[in-house]
């Protein structure tokens, strides 16, 4: 009887499994010692005998209470900093509400935006938080009244809400897309966010077509690799920058017509040589501070500067007058704003999956880490040891 609490007695009485006068409940002493003595005396009293029904009801209450606090393993960040702030611990996952599903993750994509949130470059809604913005998993619970999703479905999501670095998570049903049954969950997780990023950059932010010449920084990275493959298939001439010979070989294989080793060559001069001084139609720059000004110099008149990342740090402020001599366009896009509606999300993901199926793009899952070792993965990504996609396995 030591585990019997006022909370449980109240619930039992409310469910009519137990008839207990209100004055008895209200007379529980506040002093812990007196409270324990009172409950022991009450339990032993001939006027207070729990029936078999009451005991069963109490067990039901205990089961209900425990089901409300399902614990899974995941990552929590309590302060911004280096990879060491990524803590592997038990986290609570509730039951899905209306319009929500609970997903058991099979594979989780690591993206550089996760590093930005960990370091505090981007601010999470609250602290502590669980990072991660891309995952593929199986639906294990569905909120009441929800149609279109069922237990057992394989689904993927990319973007918001954050929280993919966990064995299970709650997601809004309208933020997930069905994964084709023929696709490996690891492949889908490796390419969902990166593929959808490549789609909006190439097809909507600046629509790349045959005859265009484009410059892709970090051409062997997760997004860069897909940009090169996809742009090549669209008929564009692709110039890519990389840091090592190994990455240069990969960029060539991915469709780069010209590869620049930026550590050994001035990429601005090389781009001018390649384009006979004309410059490129668009630059896709995810590096930021180290390449931003040079990227502007590589553009032709009325060219597009698409700055979609800052792995080397935030670029210095640019006066509008710097854009005037060549009437340049400058944009800092985010995938979230390009997939604001359900129709946009489905169209974007559908085009990515179709291009994977047709062979236009292929995922390079070059690195896999246990989720518990995500700190190692973050360190390797920041030190530019990795290439292609990095996947975490719960």
């Amino acid at each position: 009887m030591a585990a019997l609490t006022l909370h449980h007695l109240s619930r039992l009485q409310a469910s009519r499994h137990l008839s207990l006068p209100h004055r008895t409940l209200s007379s529980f002493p506040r002093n812990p010692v007196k409270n324990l003595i009172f409950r022991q005396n009450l339990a032993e009293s001939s006027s207070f005998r729990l029936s078999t029904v009451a005991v069963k009801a109490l067990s039901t209450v205990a089961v209900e209470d425990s089901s409300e606090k399902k614990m899974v393993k995941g990552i929590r960040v309590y302060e911004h900093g280096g990879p060491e702030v990524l803590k592997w611990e038990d986290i609570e996952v509730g039951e899905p509400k209306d319009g929500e599903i609970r997903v058991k993750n099979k594979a989780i994509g690591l993206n550089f935006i996760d590093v930005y949130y960990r370091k505090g470059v981007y601010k999470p809604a609250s602290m502590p938080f669980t990072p991660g913005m891309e995952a593929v998993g199986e639906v294990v619970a569905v909120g009441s009244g929800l149609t279109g999703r069922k237990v057992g479905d394989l689904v993927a999501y990319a973007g918001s809400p954050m929280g993919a670095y966990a064995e299970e998570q709650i997601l809004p049903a309208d933020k997930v897309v069905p994964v084709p049954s023929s696709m490996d969950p690891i492949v889908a997780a490796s390419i969902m966010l990166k593929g959808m990023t490549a789609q909006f950059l190439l097809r909507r932010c600046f629509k790349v077509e045959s005859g265009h010449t484009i410059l892709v920084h970090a051409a062997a990275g997760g997004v860069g690799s897909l940009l090169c493959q996809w742009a090549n298939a669209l008929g564009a001439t692709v110039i890519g920058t990389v840091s090592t010979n190994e990455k240069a070989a990969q960029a060539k294989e991915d469709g780069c017509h010209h590869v620049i080793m930026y550590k050994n060559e001035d990429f601005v001069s090389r781009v001018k040589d390649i384009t006979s001084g004309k410059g490129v139609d668009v630059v896709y720059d995810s590096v930021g501070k180290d390449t931003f000004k040079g990227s502007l110099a590589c553009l032709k008149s009325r060219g597009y500067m698409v700055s979609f990342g800052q792995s080397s740090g935030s670029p210095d402020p640019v006066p509008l007058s710097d854009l005037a001599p060549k009437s340049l366009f400058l944009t800092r896009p985010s995938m979230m704003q390009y997939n604001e509606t359900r129709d946009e999300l489905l169209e974007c993901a559908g085009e990515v999956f179709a291009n994977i199926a047709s062979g236009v793009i292929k995922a390079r899952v070059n690195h896999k880490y246990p989720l518990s070792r995500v700190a190692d993965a973050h360190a390797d990504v920041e030190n530019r040891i990795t290439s292609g996609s990095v996947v975490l396995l719960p």
Side-chain angles (χ1 to χ4, degrees):
M1 283 302 300
L4 186 60
T5 67
L6 178 59
H7 167 70
H8 289 139
L9 290 174
S10 299
R11 291 185 64 179
L12 286 174
Q13 186 184 36
S15 64
R16 298 187 180 181
H17 289 303
L18 178 66
S19 178
L20 191 63
H22 181 272
R23 62 179 179 275
T24 304
L25 289 173
S26 62
S27 60
F28 272 70
R30 293 181 180 275
N31 181 283
V33 176
K34 293 182 178 180
N35 182 286
L36 178 59
I37 295 172
F38 179 87
R39 286 189 287 113
Q40 289 174 338
N41 290 338
L42 182 64
E44 294 167 0
S45 171
S46 59
S47 63
F48 181 72
R49 303 288 186 188
L50 282 176
S51 66
T52 303
V53 174
V55 171
K56 289 181 179 179
L58 182 58
S59 301
T60 302
V61 170
V63 170
E64 288 174 355
D65 283 351
S66 64
S67 67
E68 292 170 359
K69 295 183 179 181
K70 178 178 177 62
M71 305 301 291
V72 299
K73 286 291 186 180
I75 299 295
R76 296 292 276 170
V77 175
Y78 293 87
E79 60 181 339
H80 297 300
E84 70 278 358
V85 304
L86 297 162
K87 304 300 183 182
W88 175 247
E89 58 184 44
D90 291 326
I91 60 176
E92 185 178 325
V93 178
E95 291 300 318
K97 301 174 184 175
D98 291 349
E100 294 181 336
I101 56 176
R102 192 173 78 234
V103 177
K104 184 175 183 179
N105 288 328
K106 291 179 175 291
I108 301 159
L110 190 157
N111 298 278
F112 216 92
I113 193 171
D114 303 342
V115 175
Y116 295 152
Y117 275 106
R118 189 205 76 218
K119 294 171 71 173
V121 176
Y122 297 162
K123 302 299 182 185
S126 62
M127 296 286 282
F129 71 98
T130 296
M133 303 184 76
E134 175 182 42
V136 172
E138 179 183 348
V139 177
V140 293
V142 176
S144 61
L146 185 66
T147 59
R149 293 271 71 85
K150 65 181 186 299
V151 171
D153 284 351
L154 187 66
V155 297
Y157 97 103
S160 61
M162 192 159 47
Y165 285 13
E167 293 174 330
E168 295 187 16
Q169 65 183 129
I170 300 293
L171 289 170
D174 62 356
K175 294 296 184 182
V176 306
V177 298
V179 176
S181 58
S182 59
M183 186 169 295
D184 185 333
I186 292 177
V187 171
S190 75
I191 210 167
M192 185 67 181
L193 190 145
K194 301 171 190 67
M196 290 171 61
T197 299
Q199 192 275 346
F200 90 80
L201 290 175
L202 292 169
R203 308 306 294 145
R204 291 183 281 166
C205 188
F206 177 89
K207 193 168 184 178
V208 173
E209 297 175 344
S210 179
H212 284 150
T213 300
I214 76 170
L215 173 62
V216 178
H217 287 300
V223 175
S225 171
L226 299 177
L227 287 173
C228 294
Q229 296 176 55
W230 202 329
N232 181 292
L234 291 170
T237 298
V238 183
I239 305 171
T241 67
V242 297
S243 59
T244 67
N245 290 326
E246 292 78 13
K247 291 182 178 182
Q250 177 187 307
K252 276 280 189 183
E253 188 177 332
D254 284 339
C256 269
H257 301 92
H258 307 277
V259 180
I260 300 171
M261 300 279 289
Y262 69 85
K263 288 186 176 180
N264 305 325
E265 307 173 89
D266 175 44
F267 73 85
V268 177
S269 298
R270 285 283 288 121
V271 167
K272 289 182 177 179
D273 290 342
I274 293 167
T275 62
S276 301
K278 296 178 182 178
V280 298
D281 295 279
V282 59
V283 176
Y284 292 109
D285 190 337
S286 63
V287 177
K289 186 178 181 66
D290 292 350
T291 55
F292 191 87
K293 288 186 177 180
S295 294
L296 290 175
C298 290
L299 288 167
K300 69 191 322 184
S301 293
R302 294 175 293 177
Y304 277 72
M305 173 64 181
V306 181
S307 175
F308 69 100
Q310 50 196 48
S311 60
S312 67
S314 300
D316 295 327
V318 179
L320 283 175
S321 57
D322 285 5
L323 307 179
K326 294 191 286 185
S327 295
L328 299 178
F329 296 87
L330 170 61
T331 182
R332 180 59 174 88
S334 169
M335 188 187 73
M336 286 66 164
Q337 281 68 53
Y338 278 83
N339 290 322
E340 289 184 329
T341 69
R342 178 70 177 166
D343 287 343
E344 287 174 333
L345 174 63
L346 292 174
E347 182 179 352
C348 183
E351 190 171 356
V352 171
F353 290 148
N355 279 340
I356 296 172
S358 65
V360 168
I361 56 175
K362 60 180 180 296
R364 288 185 174 274
V365 187
N366 293 345
H367 310 274
K368 301 175 189 175
Y369 297 78
L371 179 58
S372 59
R373 287 186 49 222
V374 67
D376 295 338
H378 271 233
D380 290 348
V381 168
E382 286 187 275
N383 292 324
R384 300 189 181 184
I385 295 173
T386 63
S387 62
S389 296
V390 177
V391 173
L392 308 171
L393 302 176

